[in-house]
Amino acid sequence: MLDCTPKEIIKRSGGMINPAKTCQPIGAMYAALGIHNCLPHSHGSQGCCAYHRSHLTRHFREPVMATSSSFTEGASVFGGGGNLKTAIKNVFSIYNPDVMAVHTTCLSETIGDDLPSIIKGAEVPEGKLVIHASTPSYQGSHITGFSNMVKGMVTYLAKATRDEKKEQVNIIPGFVNPGDMREIKRLGGELGVRSIIFPDTSGVLDSPMIGKFNMFPAGGAKVEDIRDSGNSKLTIALGYYASSDSAHLLERNCQVPAITLKTPIGIKATDDFLMTLRSKFVQEIPNQLEEERGQLVDVITDNHHHFYGKKVALFGDPDILTGLTEFILSLGMQPVHVLTGTPAGTLTGSGIFEKEIKEMLAAAGHEGRVKAAGDLFELHQWIKNEPVDLLMGNTYGKYIARAEDLPFVRVGFPILDRGVHSYLPIVGYRGAMRLVEMISDTLLDRQDRDAADEDLELVM
Amino acid sequence: MINVSTAVPNDNLIVERQSSILVKGGQRKNQLKCDAESIAGCVSQRACVYCGARVVLNPVTDAIHLVHGPMGCASYTWDIRGSLSSGSELYRNSFCTDLKENDIIFGGEKKLARAIDELVEKYESELVFVYSTCVVGVIGDDLEAVCKTAAHKHGIQVLPVQSSGFIGNKSAGYRAACDALLRLIEPPGGARPINSRRPVKSVNYLGDFNLAGEAWIIKDYLKRIGVEVNVVFTGDSNYRDLKKAPEASLNIMQCAGSMAYIARRMEELYSIPSLQISFLGLEDTAASLCKIADFFGEPEMMRRAEELIKEETIAVQPEMGRYHEKLAGKKAAIYVGGGFKAISLIKQFRELGIDVVMVGTQTGREVEYQTLHDISDDGTVILDDANPSELERFMTEKGAHLLVGGVKERPLAYKLGVAFIDHNHDRKHPLSGYVGAVNFAREVYSTVCSPVWKYARETGGGLYAVENSELPER
Ligand code: SF4
Ligand code: SF4
């Protein structure tokens, strides 16, 4: 009954049906929550802010604090400068964060509020900071918004204060769950490399129960660390779309060399991440990580016969998909449809999403449909025209999964109908092992469900 | 304990907020400031005009709900409300013009027209709602004109909903939605009373969005007493049924916040009187059924209503009794959208022996705050448009065991070791009527008495507190 999608594909030009992306400010809000003691602020009407908070709350199942400029008709005619100044005053006097991270909305962008000069003219208490990012949603997606807010952090905070760089690495983890950020941090720690991770929502959006409500939980990247990122020897941007712009900005502003890697999903991308750290910081790979990698390869070997030749449709955010496609291929499965809602071009370049994924598919001897700036209506049509054995993506995939009766693995953002996911990683070797478990469980549960009595097997 | 009326001592409260909070005490009159704009720089829980409009119209199942604006506004409202349908599922898709920079500069009218054309071609729908968002309000697209042209072209109804977020709060959105509905139900040739064709005992049921199938329960009750539901505004409604709305002989209204305006207009235009009813809780459900029977003035109907009330009450009593036993003396805090729901909830908690120690709403109206004030116990904190720190402060201060709220309040309550119930669109069981009262009690019981609080509250979640578990008894 939920299947309203016709099979025949007709070209459309009048907007989206069932989006595979959302708007910039929510990404900016998420990034800002990855600074310790920071309050995100939405410069626009209060509806946007309420939606972004609700949406993040549904995904993380954690309180999400943010303030709004609460535009009314007056502000939208005469500009929101007055509202923002009042907001800055109120935010520091009431909530007292160290940092207030302002992002714009479609409305304030369209009106044309000049944030840097409004902020300059505002009363900011001694020792407190206001940073900002411009995040109009008629460009890009939530990933762009995340990237823009991280650029804001670099612009406002990062400083090169010495000639010689320190033996430390900056890691920009991209739009991934706190569980992933935690794992990336752990990998750096296992290697013994001092790393500055920002933004870092671990300890903020996966915070433990302590019996009371903390407006500002214990986690998040410290301001002094983000400042010090200007003195690091290297920045690793994990994910081209969410992270590379800010890494390059840091390179320009503070002469910290930047390198962009894939989000470390799967064996190869994790190898690349660790080997990059090793080659720049001349450390041995510790036994612990050797062992984890070995376990992962072992697990894949034990289970590869379940995966071979299975056709998969993937959708979600571009950086996640790039890593995931590579990993899916390494399991012997065949990604036949890969779609993101995020437009491929970034503000600084034409984008690499389609090309990179197509090359990976070609190298594995496959062909597939790959598209940026698509929507789930289109993905559904693709699947109707070329069926798959497995669907992977965020919660919104459940309509397609049901309509086409497909096994479905939830991964990415947002996941609104299942819990726990944001605590556990999909990055690193352990994250990959978790993915292997999720995928094989889903496929095998399905096989069990569909098996006739006489075909039901105990040992699989 | 605070016993004085009017303002609450100020620490940590925004000065401008003081007039929006009061503690019931000796004073006669409620002087709470409500329906004011939220203050810039506050963590407000309030939503926007578009949100309000979408809440009211979204349950129209066979309509194309097209959001004219950037993608975000549409994606956050994609199927987040649990209104159920017995027919079309079209309303569960997300349609948006996905405005881009060029559209913002040169206007989005052409794209909107294209979007309508494409959607109408794909889906056989007789009704399109086009929602305007903030940006559209600023760039000044003429929604009215585009909709009119499209309606003409396709021979269907295409209705603009003037819901730019900044023109007010959620209540303004309810009104924008009601304006669209009024246009929808207007018969060809203009609005006028349709006495002759009106089936005698048929009602429009206003302000039930069929969350978790609630409207179906009420429809069944009404059928049992001999009243036919003409159409529900808007739970599980569709184009055809809504068109028949002027034919009903009575409007009964559950959610006044969203529907008072349209009820008044329908009375003016179609001479349909309206009754405020509530099917939340045993007491209100019984009173409402009698009120309806009373309106129609038929002894037989009243007899059937009384019989239904008796039957259903007896059926739920044992279970309700068990919950009452477990829950008596617990304390609840309420923070919901509308004032009317808050009033019903207070009564419902009383039925379970639970005291309400804090009550607040996002968009309650002055009359509703007056009633809240009147029915609350002394010492109850009453507040309008609360922010999280206020909720935290009063829940802790008053020792609440349970919070009733919406999606953003859930994790807040949990962090405080306070149980939680969603009385908003994330609700999972019907909460109306007798069945609903039991579901409600069961839900309260299952969260308030869950073993998880043993770990969460007494030990604060951590090992360190196991030895040192002297946290105050809640
Ligand atoms: S107006 Fe823009 S920022 Fe606000 S919800 Fe819509 S798309 Fe997002
Ligand atoms: S842009 Fe306006 S209409 Fe859209 S969510 Fe924000 S406040 Fe609401």
Side-chain angles (χ1 to χ4, degrees):
Chain A
M1 244 203 328
L2 278 169
D3 186 5
C4 299
T5 309
K7 182 173 175 187
E8 192 196 344
I9 300 176
I10 308 170
K11 206 167 156 27
R12 285 178 288 140
S13 65
M16 290 246 177
I17 305 178
N18 300 345
K21 66 165 187 185
T22 183
C23 65
Q24 282 209 44
I26 199 170
M29 191 181 275
Y30 180 56
L33 289 163
I35 304 177
H36 181 63
N37 263 346
C38 173
L39 189 61
H41 179 86
S42 164
H43 184 52
S45 340
Q46 57 191 8
C48 305
C49 183
Y51 278 138
H52 303 150
R53 288 178 55 215
S54 297
H55 215 59
L56 291 173
T57 297
R58 288 189 169 107
H59 176 85
F60 295 106
R61 305 192 180 204
E62 288 288 308
V64 172
M65 293 299 130
T67 50
S68 154
S69 289
S70 300
F71 274 34
T72 52
E73 245 171 326
S76 52
V77 177
F78 302 113
N83 289 48
L84 184 53
K85 283 182 185 160
T86 314
I88 291 176
K89 194 172 126 266
N90 279 334
V91 159
F92 287 110
S93 68
I94 304 154
Y95 305 111
N96 197 28
D98 292 342
V99 187
M100 174 176 174
V102 184
H103 61 261
T104 57
T105 57
C106 301
L107 179 57
S108 51
E109 285 289 336
T110 309
I111 300 167
D113 279 349
D114 175 9
L115 258 63
S117 58
I118 299 172
I119 293 171
K120 264 200 202 94
E123 286 170 50
V124 179
E126 188 65 34
K128 301 287 176 178
L129 294 161
V130 179
I131 68 173
H132 103 278
S134 167
T135 51
S137 309
Y138 38 78
Q139 300 163 342
S141 73
H142 54 297
I143 299 301
T144 325
F146 182 93
S147 167
N148 283 337
M149 183 48 87
V150 184
K151 275 161 66 186
M153 295 175 197
V154 170
T155 308
Y156 280 87
L157 304 175
K159 297 273 173 321
T161 54
R162 42 190 276 164
D163 294 338
E164 208 178 312
K165 295 296 182 197
K166 292 188 188 170
E167 276 300 304
Q168 65 188 25
V169 62
N170 305 323
I171 301 174
I172 303 175
F175 197 130
V176 290
N177 276 322
D180 295 312
M181 298 192 187
R182 208 177 266 281
E183 181 67 3
I184 289 166
K185 206 156 45 174
R186 186 185 70 88
L187 292 174
E190 294 285 356
L191 275 176
V193 182
R194 174 170 151 71
S195 50
I196 295 173
I197 301 195
F198 72 96
D200 176 9
T201 57
S202 68
V204 179
L205 289 166
D206 62 355
S207 69
M209 169 72 87
I210 51 170
K212 63 176 200 242
F213 164 66
N214 266 348
M215 178 109 184
F216 305 106
K222 301 240 164 51
V223 169
E224 63 259 33
D225 286 339
I226 304 179
R227 269 211 184 103
D228 197 34
S229 69
N231 295 322
S232 298
K233 204 170 105 179
L234 175 73
T235 303
I236 299 181
L238 295 176
Y240 176 84
Y241 286 91
S243 305
S244 69
D245 277 4
S246 45
H248 285 119
L249 186 65
L250 192 54
E251 181 164 37
R252 274 202 301 284
N253 289 0
C254 303
Q255 294 74 49
V256 180
I259 175 164
T260 302
L261 298 175
K262 289 194 190 81
T263 305
I265 296 173
I267 308 175
K268 180 159 185 307
T270 306
D271 287 352
D272 288 349
F273 172 57
L274 294 177
M275 293 323 260
T276 305
L277 283 173
R278 199 185 88 141
S279 70
K280 301 290 174 185
F281 295 89
V282 222
Q283 319 264 346
E284 283 304 300
I285 298 285
N287 240 340
Q288 167 74 25
L289 295 182
E290 286 289 1
E291 190 173 64
E292 281 174 27
R293 186 181 194 278
Q295 284 180 319
L296 171 61
V297 176
D298 192 78
V299 158
I300 295 176
T301 318
D302 291 344
N303 291 282
H304 71 280
H305 55 287
H306 300 311
F307 300 127
Y308 185 76
K310 292 271 190 282
K311 290 184 176 175
V312 190
L314 305 164
F315 71 95
D317 299 335
D319 297 335
I320 304 285
L321 287 176
T322 310
L324 207 52
T325 304
E326 188 175 69
F327 183 49
I328 291 292
L329 284 167
S330 73
L331 294 178
M333 301 205 280
Q334 190 184 341
V336 292
H337 310 305
V338 185
L339 178 141
T340 180
T342 297
T346 63
L347 296 178
T348 50
S350 60
I352 54 168
F353 177 75
E354 283 144 307
K355 184 165 162 280
E356 203 173 10
I357 296 213
K358 283 209 167 120
E359 279 171 7
M360 289 193 280
L361 293 181
H366 298 310
E367 265 178 46
R369 288 183 166 97
V370 183
K371 184 171 180 178
D375 59 22
L376 294 187
F377 179 87
E378 186 162 15
L379 180 68
H380 195 172
Q381 291 193 314
W382 288 356
I383 292 174
K384 280 182 186 291
N385 287 281
E386 182 171 2
V388 294
D389 303 302
L390 178 70
L391 176 65
M392 293 181 79
N394 64 37
T395 286
Y396 294 110
K398 76 192 288 180
Y399 302 110
I400 299 177
R402 188 176 171 98
E404 304 304 323
D405 197 16
L406 292 176
F408 175 38
V409 168
R410 284 166 179 75
V411 49
F413 174 88
I415 293 178
L416 311 170
D417 59 344
R418 297 290 188 272
V420 197
H421 55 85
S422 57
Y423 288 76
L424 301 173
I426 58 166
V427 300
Y429 301 127
R430 285 189 177 169
M433 212 189 287
R434 181 167 167 250
L435 281 172
V436 170
E437 187 183 21
M438 282 159 47
I439 295 169
S440 63
D441 281 1
T442 306
L443 290 172
L444 296 179
D445 279 351
R446 176 52 169 266
Q447 196 176 320
D448 281 343
R449 192 198 82 180
D450 290 352
D453 280 0
E454 61 273 26
D455 293 331
L456 187 72
E457 291 180 79
L458 178 69
V459 182
M460 295 170 90
Chain B
M1 173 150 162
I2 319 161
N3 230 331
V4 283
S5 45
T6 57
V8 156
N10 165 41
D11 59 315
N12 230 334
L13 284 182
I14 309 161
V15 186
E16 289 94 324
R17 292 271 317 141
Q18 280 188 50
S19 52
S20 300
I21 304 169
L22 63 81
V23 177
K24 171 145 177 186
Q27 119 233 52
R28 284 266 86 114
K29 248 189 97 221
N30 153 52
Q31 293 155 339
L32 194 75
K33 187 172 149 205
C34 62
D35 219 5
E37 311 290 356
S38 290
I39 295 157
C42 246
V43 183
S44 164
Q45 311 285 82
R46 264 186 186 162
C48 68
V49 185
Y50 163 69
C51 176
R54 192 76 201 238
V55 165
V56 171
L57 294 178
N58 200 57
V60 182
T61 58
D62 60 352
I64 291 171
H65 296 268
L66 172 60
V67 180
H68 187 35
M71 195 68 236
C73 310
S75 75
Y76 302 118
T77 42
W78 178 7
D79 202 23
I80 53 166
R81 301 188 54 87
S83 3
L84 304 190
S85 166
S86 56
S88 173
E89 299 280 355
L90 189 55
Y91 71 121
R92 301 185 63 180
N93 287 284
S94 173
F95 304 119
C96 179
T97 48
D98 188 22
L99 293 182
K100 295 287 164 49
E101 195 146 29
N102 264 341
D103 307 315
I104 305 291
I105 299 168
F106 300 111
E109 293 175 9
K110 288 215 182 75
K111 195 170 190 188
L112 173 59
R114 272 203 312 276
I116 300 174
D117 290 350
E118 288 177 8
L119 290 170
V120 170
E121 193 179 317
K122 248 180 228 94
Y123 305 102
E124 278 163 28
S125 177
E126 295 169 280
L127 175 61
V128 183
F129 288 115
V130 178
Y131 299 83
S132 79
T133 55
C134 286
V135 169
V136 169
V138 171
I139 63 177
D141 280 358
D142 188 347
L143 244 61
E144 197 69 51
V146 177
C147 290
K148 202 166 153 197
T149 311
H152 198 75
K153 180 169 170 191
H154 299 289
I156 60 167
Q157 215 150 2
V158 183
L159 294 169
V161 184
Q162 300 297 350
S163 52
S164 291
F166 58 80
I167 57 175
N169 62 18
K170 216 167 160 184
S171 313
Y174 294 153
R175 181 156 176 158
C178 288
D179 280 329
L181 285 169
L182 281 165
R183 285 172 73 166
L184 172 63
I185 64 172
E186 184 175 316
R192 66 196 174 279
I194 326 185
N195 288 317
S196 52
R197 280 192 289 123
R198 188 172 291 167
V200 197
K201 277 160 288 184
S202 95
V203 301
N204 294 325
Y205 178 27
L206 273 46
D208 188 321
F209 305 111
N210 202 32
L211 304 182
E214 289 176 341
W216 295 333
I217 296 172
I218 306 310
K219 263 184 159 170
D220 172 63
Y221 290 164
L222 292 175
K223 193 168 158 207
R224 281 160 64 187
I225 68 169
V227 175
E228 181 210 332
V229 172
N230 184 42
V231 63
V232 182
F233 279 63
T234 52
D236 191 24
S237 67
N238 57 48
Y239 176 75
R240 291 275 141 111
D241 287 348
L242 283 165
K243 280 280 181 200
K244 293 188 308 194
E247 295 170 20
S249 42
L250 173 69
N251 282 333
I252 55 171
M253 177 168 64
Q254 169 80 40
C255 168
S258 60
M259 290 286 154
Y261 166 69
I262 199 170
R264 201 181 67 237
R265 292 293 291 149
M266 281 166 83
E267 179 145 23
E268 287 161 13
L269 296 168
Y270 304 104
S271 311
I272 305 177
S274 74
L275 286 182
Q276 166 95 61
I277 46 84
S278 161
F279 291 110
L280 294 176
L282 304 178
E283 186 190 321
D284 279 4
T285 302
S288 298
L289 288 169
C290 292
K291 204 165 166 185
I292 294 165
D294 199 45
F295 172 87
F296 286 108
E298 286 184 17
E300 170 60 12
M301 192 187 286
M302 187 56 93
R303 195 193 57 75
R304 283 159 79 172
E306 278 162 3
E307 195 175 302
L308 184 155
I309 293 165
K310 200 165 132 203
E311 235 170 64
E312 296 284 340
T313 312
I314 291 173
V316 300
Q317 236 153 22
E319 205 174 346
M320 290 297 276
R322 273 203 304 282
Y323 295 128
H324 188 286
E325 219 167 84
K326 304 274 186 202
L327 294 170
K330 299 279 185 204
K331 296 175 194 164
I334 298 174
Y335 187 71
V336 290
F340 193 72
K341 192 193 277 174
I343 297 168
S344 268
L345 278 169
I346 293 186
K347 294 191 206 160
Q348 228 174 326
F349 278 124
R350 281 214 180 120
E351 287 169 4
L352 291 170
I354 295 175
D355 301 324
V356 172
V357 290
M358 185 204 93
V359 54
T361 82
Q362 285 180 43
T363 55
R365 297 166 305 160
E366 209 178 318
V367 275
E368 291 164 342
Y369 274 108
Q370 186 59 57
T371 315
L372 281 176
H373 187 258
D374 292 344
I375 64 171
S376 292
D377 297 325
D378 275 4
T380 302
V381 176
I382 305 175
L383 70 186
D384 183 56
D385 183 27
N387 62 50
S389 3
E390 289 163 358
L391 294 178
E392 179 201 3
R393 176 177 158 192
F394 294 117
M395 278 197 288
T396 317
E397 221 168 82
K398 295 283 173 183
H401 299 92
L402 169 74
L403 173 69
V404 186
V407 49
K408 291 190 289 297
E409 287 81 51
R410 179 192 294 268
L412 176 70
Y414 287 167
K415 286 284 180 219
L416 296 171
V418 170
F420 182 85
I421 285 197
D422 196 304
H423 212 292
N424 211 337
H425 33 259
D426 285 5
R427 76 177 68 157
K428 295 295 170 253
H429 310 286
L431 300 176
S432 299
Y434 294 93
V435 202
V438 177
N439 284 340
F440 181 75
R442 187 183 304 127
E443 237 181 280
V444 172
Y445 170 71
S446 65
T447 177
V448 170
C449 301
S450 163
V452 69
W453 305 123
K454 185 167 161 38
Y455 300 99
R457 195 180 293 146
E458 288 167 18
T459 66
L463 248 186
Y464 63 93
V466 172
E467 288 172 54
N468 189 13
S469 60
E470 285 198 328
L471 288 175
E473 168 63 16
R474 273 266 182 74

